[in-house]
Amino acid sequence: MSESEDVRSRLQQMRGRAEDLVRAAEQATDPAERRRLQDEAHRLESRSVQVSGMASGDIYPME
């Protein structure tokens, strides 16, 4: 597997996990658990955007 395929696979996994967390948050009845799941999903989404930018050669990571 090439490096770009590895990065694409990793990004796909991160985005899939973030989507799973968003769905879990929507079904959570406990407000604290819902917030925790939403925060974790947001962190994963942000990280995937950063990794994607770095993989494309962008030298300035997004914050």
Side-chain angles (χ1 to χ4, degrees), residues 6-52:
D6 184 45
V7 170
R8 267 195 300 266
S9 174
R10 199 166 125 223
L11 286 170
Q12 189 175 27
Q13 288 175 347
M14 290 170 73
R15 290 175 180 148
R17 177 71 179 134
E19 289 174 10
D20 291 344
L21 289 167
V22 167
R23 281 193 291 276
E26 289 170 352
Q27 296 178 0
T29 56
D30 178 31
E33 179 69 3
R34 175 177 291 152
R35 183 66 186 170
R36 185 188 71 77
L37 292 167
Q38 289 171 333
D39 288 347
E40 188 174 343
H42 180 71
R43 277 192 299 276
L44 272 174
E45 290 168 353
S46 295
R47 180 71 181 136
S48 72
V49 168
Q50 183 179 21
V51 169
S52 178

